[in-house]
Amino acid sequence: HFKGLSFPTISSVGPNAAIIHYSPEANTCAELDADKIYLCDSGAQYLDGTTDITRTVHFGKPSEHQKSCYTAVLKGHIALDAAVFPNGTTGHALDILARTPLWKSGLDYRHGTGHGIGSYLNVHEGPHLISFRPSARNVPLQASMTVTDEPGYYEDGNFGIRLENVLIVKEADTKFNFGEKGYLSFEHITWAPYQTKLINTALLTPAEIEWVNLYHSDCQKILESYLNVQEKEWLRKATEPITASS
């Protein structure tokens, strides 16, 4: 059902990964370096939907600093994914969830946390946003909207990290319904493993570790039927459970 890219692929390594909207050019692009972080942000238009996904990996041995930064981004990514909020809430109110783990270390990122996705339209489609920008106050999130969850961290001249899934806003099944507002939550529909080598599990809570393990278990169930033997083995290793002591 593939019909074309939804935007030019951002394929970047090392210092180029710190350029948020980097676009590689054949004459000037860097060569892939196993000792540096690699960031890939890609998406496509399909008959059954539009994708926008980012994963960050390291093919060598990441530094402890890189691991702690990646883990802070992951913690914010999970916090937004797990949010439950009343009807009428805007993306401006939710943006802080993705930034708080970074702020605790004095880190941040200069772009919004989420945008709507149009099918065969703009991959960045409003009017809703999850962002610190004032315009994100204008439109409340509503059930059935799509929005991305993409916190990051970019160290100029060194490396960049971003993790991005597509979420669907859905009605939440809460125990109570204060103010008869009705409550909303998110369902993620992007399935690709996070690189566990970049995770410092000592920085994760038990609930965050459980989230990663459940996500990876679902990745394996959903993806394995599409893969050959070699790919299935890669997926099995990529989705092995993590523990607090690993």
Side-chain angles (χ1 to χ4, degrees):
H1 299 317
F2 171 75
K3 293 298 177 182
L5 297 180
S6 52
F7 59 94
T9 301
I10 300 170
S11 177
S12 52
V13 64
N16 290 339
I19 303 170
I20 293 169
H21 293 120
Y22 174 77
S23 180
E25 300 290 341
N27 295 330
T28 59
C29 63
E31 292 187 7
L32 189 62
D33 187 336
D35 293 323
K36 296 178 181 176
I37 277 182
Y38 173 69
L39 184 156
C40 186
D41 184 347
S42 65
Q45 304 279 12
Y46 300 90
L47 292 178
D48 51 357
T50 299
T51 64
D52 184 359
I53 174 174
T54 309
R55 286 296 183 266
T56 304
V57 297
H58 197 301
F59 298 110
K61 185 177 180 180
S63 69
E64 288 304 313
H65 175 58
Q66 290 171 333
K67 290 171 65 175
S68 66
C69 292
Y70 180 96
T71 306
V73 172
L74 176 62
K75 286 170 73 72
H77 180 77
I78 294 171
L80 180 59
D81 178 276
V84 179
F85 48 96
N87 271 300
T89 302
T90 67
H92 191 273
L94 297 179
D95 183 77
I96 190 175
L97 296 174
R99 296 181 192 271
T100 298
L102 287 158
W103 286 353
K104 287 180 178 178
S105 296
L107 305 177
D108 203 353
Y109 51 97
R110 297 186 181 97
H111 58 75
T113 300
H115 59 80
I117 294 180
S119 181
Y120 284 93
L121 297 165
N122 298 319
V123 73
H124 289 193
E125 184 182 72
H128 59 294
L129 292 167
I130 298 176
S131 176
F132 59 90
R133 295 183 175 90
S135 58
R137 297 191 185 109
N138 297 339
V139 180
L141 296 177
Q142 300 178 40
S144 81
M145 281 181 168
T146 58
V147 67
T148 60
D149 174 5
E150 51 177 307
Y153 172 64
Y154 311 89
E155 202 161 281
D156 293 343
N158 195 358
F159 64 87
I161 296 164
R162 183 162 64 251
L163 298 173
E164 178 181 19
N165 285 354
V166 176
L167 309 178
I168 296 178
V169 184
K170 65 177 185 177
E171 293 182 359
D173 183 17
T174 55
K175 183 177 181 180
F176 303 105
N177 184 18
F178 183 82
E180 301 300 320
K181 292 180 177 182
Y183 284 72
L184 301 172
S185 60
F186 294 116
E187 174 186 359
H188 45 250
I189 57 170
T190 297
W191 301 104
Y194 304 95
Q195 192 180 41
T196 56
K197 178 169 64 175
L198 272 168
I199 300 173
N200 181 347
T201 57
L203 301 177
L204 296 182
T205 66
E208 289 165 342
I209 290 174
E210 182 181 9
W211 187 98
V212 171
N213 287 338
L214 178 60
Y215 181 89
H216 278 167
S217 175
D218 288 342
C219 276
Q220 191 167 24
K221 293 173 187 175
I222 291 167
L223 299 175
E224 63 181 356
S225 65
Y226 300 99
L227 307 181
N228 63 35
V229 173
Q230 183 179 7
E231 291 163 346
K232 284 180 182 178
E233 179 59 18
W234 174 87
L235 181 64
R236 184 191 66 78
K237 291 180 179 178
T239 56
E240 288 178 347
I242 60 173
T243 64
S245 58
S246 64

